[in-house]
Amino acid sequence: MPPALSVTDLFTIGVGPSSSHTVGPMRAAQHFAEKLAELGPPVRVVCRLYGSLALTGKGHATDTAVLLGLSGWLPDRIDPERIAPLVEDIRRDKRLTFAGHHTLPFDPDTDLLFRMGEFLPEHSNGLQFEAFYPDGAIETATYFSIGGGAIEGDGVISRSSNIALPYAFTSGAELLTVCERDNLTIAELMFRNEDAFRPREETCAFLDAVRAAMLASIDRGVKQDGILPGGLNVRRRAKAMVEKLMARGPRIDPSQIFEWVSLYALAVNEENAAGGRVVTAPTNGAAGVLPAVIKYYETFVPHATSEGTRTLLMTATAIGFLYKTNASISAAEMGCQGEVGVACSMAAGGLAAALGGTPAQIENAAEIGMEHNLGLTCDPIGGLVQVPCIERNTMGAIKAINATYLALNGDGHHIVSLDAVIETMRQTGEDMRVKYKETSLGGLAVNVVEC
């Protein structure tokens, strides 16, 4: 049985633009700095980035993440407004405050190395650190950013490794069997598992904080305009789009609902692309899907409740666990089917639960959400989480809602199981050529001229 996962392992409030390339490397760098702080300050630190972290790292702000992490910052604690001036100071002065305590010479041009085309065998998102001491001693560490901001590597300890869950499951079939046997909804089962980690009220508070952060990213996104950073000259569209929708007046026809849902996802992922505050759900590249579906539920579903939103999030978490356990949510391993595809599947199952679907209907909705994202590649132009990533979230949100209602119009019986589609996603990801898996070496990334 793999280590127990918690809802806090799946959702993280952090910064953009990427969970695997920004959040994960920042955590790894901070972990390395914190681990060495008790040994005394080194005289030099070198970081080497490998695989996808090297190939798309500059577009994904991996270099920024490493500088902040070595300076002692974590994604959920740094104010996004402070990031640019902090990094500018480090690059100008060629010095950083190691672990937040000791001033250390650090020249990003010579001490932060992008090993282009080199891959570590364990994972395509690898980074290595070396710290040099006055007495000649050298401390080294290797980390891997495995998706959704999670890291593995030297000295990283899973918070959940020793927790025994009352309703452990590793497959969709097992999840359905336990729910039927004990007459539980998927959300109820998940809440009882979370009770093994912390009091119920703390779990509810966490879910409410995740919801609030998701909706805040929508609210901020629809108020911003201008050009996104990175050099592609991509203009923010959410502000103009919301103004056009508001100008139509209060009467909403069915087609406008889809426009509003697309707007919600667009706003979040524009915030993510700008390095703003978002929730990994389950990744930053797919951060707009779940917030858009939650906003749809709370805005357009009659008699929506806060408990319904918690049910949506907890059910989506169960589905996310199945992907993390049996495949991957890393685009560097699976392509975008592992990010927007998984988010679509999670959101579809979660919305089906909030609308009163049975466990079988929820499983069907989640399966539909992934089945029609199979083979989705990750080919960001310029290595930026902008094109096609931003619009792709709008499509994922719309697909999730469609999948929900398709499933609710059935009785839960269907040909392809969720387990089968997860295994198919895993096999497809393994068969997918590397150039289509977050390396910007194929697809749109090479067939569209950067401007």
Side-chain angles (χ1 to χ4, degrees):
M1 181 71 66
L5 292 172
S6 166
V7 65
T8 59
D9 295 315
L10 198 67
F11 297 123
T12 301
I13 301 171
V15 295
S18 172
S19 49
S20 60
H21 287 56
T22 313
V23 175
M26 194 186 304
R27 286 175 169 167
Q30 191 274 343
H31 184 275
F32 180 71
E34 193 68 26
K35 184 174 73 168
L36 296 191
E38 59 190 45
L39 301 179
V43 295
R44 186 188 179 202
V45 170
V46 173
C47 175
R48 297 178 179 86
L49 304 173
Y50 294 90
S52 179
L53 293 183
L55 290 166
T56 63
K58 291 189 176 179
H60 284 54
T62 305
D63 46 353
T64 292
V66 169
L67 296 179
L68 294 172
L70 290 176
S71 301
W73 290 104
L74 284 168
D76 58 340
R77 298 179 188 172
I78 182 75
D79 179 353
E81 300 293 334
R82 295 194 60 192
I83 291 176
L86 283 169
V87 172
E88 183 181 348
D89 288 347
I90 294 171
R91 293 189 180 279
R92 182 192 63 241
D93 300 337
K94 295 180 171 45
R95 306 181 74 81
L96 57 77
T97 306
F98 188 68
H101 303 299
H102 306 288
T103 300
L104 175 73
F106 192 94
D107 184 350
D109 292 334
T110 58
D111 299 332
L112 180 51
L113 307 174
F114 290 77
R115 305 302 290 262
M116 307 295 282
E118 295 183 34
F119 289 78
L120 299 180
E122 296 90 342
H123 195 280
S124 53
N125 289 334
L127 59 168
Q128 293 179 336
F129 295 93
E130 283 185 313
F132 301 87
Y133 284 84
D135 62 0
I138 301 174
E139 294 288 335
T140 65
T142 301
Y143 298 88
F144 301 96
S145 181
I146 61 174
I151 58 171
E152 293 179 349
D154 295 352
V156 178
I157 300 173
S158 171
R159 297 170 298 166
S160 310
S161 57
N162 297 318
I163 298 293
L165 302 180
Y167 295 103
F169 61 91
T170 58
S171 70
E174 191 175 6
L175 177 61
L176 292 179
T177 297
V178 174
C179 286
E180 182 177 2
R181 183 194 68 199
D182 290 4
N183 193 28
L184 295 171
T185 68
I186 293 175
E188 287 170 344
L189 179 151
M190 289 297 295
F191 269 114
R192 294 190 186 190
N193 279 347
E194 291 297 318
D195 291 343
F197 293 95
R198 69 193 73 81
R200 178 72 63 92
E201 59 269 22
E202 291 183 16
T203 297
C204 290
F206 175 79
L207 293 173
D208 293 345
V210 165
R211 172 209 173 261
M214 287 178 169
L215 298 188
S217 64
I218 294 175
D219 291 342
R220 177 171 169 76
V222 299
K223 296 173 184 175
Q224 308 302 312
D225 56 15
I227 303 297
L228 292 171
L232 280 185
N233 295 317
V234 173
R235 180 171 294 279
R236 284 183 180 252
R237 289 178 285 171
K239 186 173 186 290
M241 188 172 174
V242 75
E243 289 171 352
K244 289 180 180 178
L245 286 170
M246 294 292 289
R248 294 183 189 176
R251 185 174 180 273
I252 295 178
D253 62 47
S255 66
Q256 281 181 262
I257 293 177
F258 290 118
E259 291 183 77
W260 279 103
V261 172
S262 294
L263 166 68
Y264 303 147
L266 195 77
V268 174
N269 281 86
E270 287 181 349
E271 274 298 285
N272 179 62
R277 178 79 67 207
V278 297
V279 179
T280 59
T283 67
N284 280 33
V289 177
L290 265 166
V293 173
I294 288 173
K295 185 73 170 177
Y296 162 80
Y297 167 72
E298 295 187 358
T299 303
F300 296 107
V301 173
H303 312 299
T305 65
S306 59
E307 192 57 40
T309 299
R310 291 174 182 169
T311 293
L312 192 159
L313 283 169
M314 286 300 276
T315 305
T317 299
I319 295 162
F321 287 174
L322 293 175
Y323 285 97
K324 282 181 68 74
T325 300
N326 298 304
S328 171
I329 59 171
S330 168
E333 289 186 296
M334 294 288 115
C336 198
Q337 60 174 358
E339 295 206 21
V340 168
V342 172
C344 177
S345 181
M346 291 170 58
L351 180 59
L355 295 178
T358 66
Q361 289 172 318
I362 292 165
E363 186 259 3
N364 189 13
E367 181 276 323
I368 294 171
M370 173 53 73
E371 184 177 341
H372 304 288
N373 281 292
L374 288 173
L376 192 60
T377 60
C378 181
D379 50 356
I381 298 173
L384 298 164
V385 193
Q386 297 180 17
V387 182
C389 318
I390 295 172
E391 286 184 358
R392 192 165 282 173
N393 275 258
T394 72
M395 303 303 291
I398 297 297
K399 279 186 179 181
I401 296 170
N402 192 23
T404 295
Y405 288 107
L406 282 172
L408 292 179
N409 275 289
D411 61 4
H413 292 90
H414 52 109
I415 301 297
V416 181
S417 69
L418 178 57
D419 291 331
V421 86
I422 292 174
E423 174 59 16
T424 303
M425 186 199 82
R426 185 192 66 79
Q427 293 175 8
T428 303
E430 290 188 354
D431 291 342
M432 192 181 291
R433 295 178 66 180
V434 169
K435 68 180 183 178
Y436 298 118
K437 296 194 286 189
E438 208 168 8
T439 58
S440 288
L441 297 175
L444 289 175
V446 298
N447 287 310
V448 176
V449 178
E450 295 180 31
C451 53

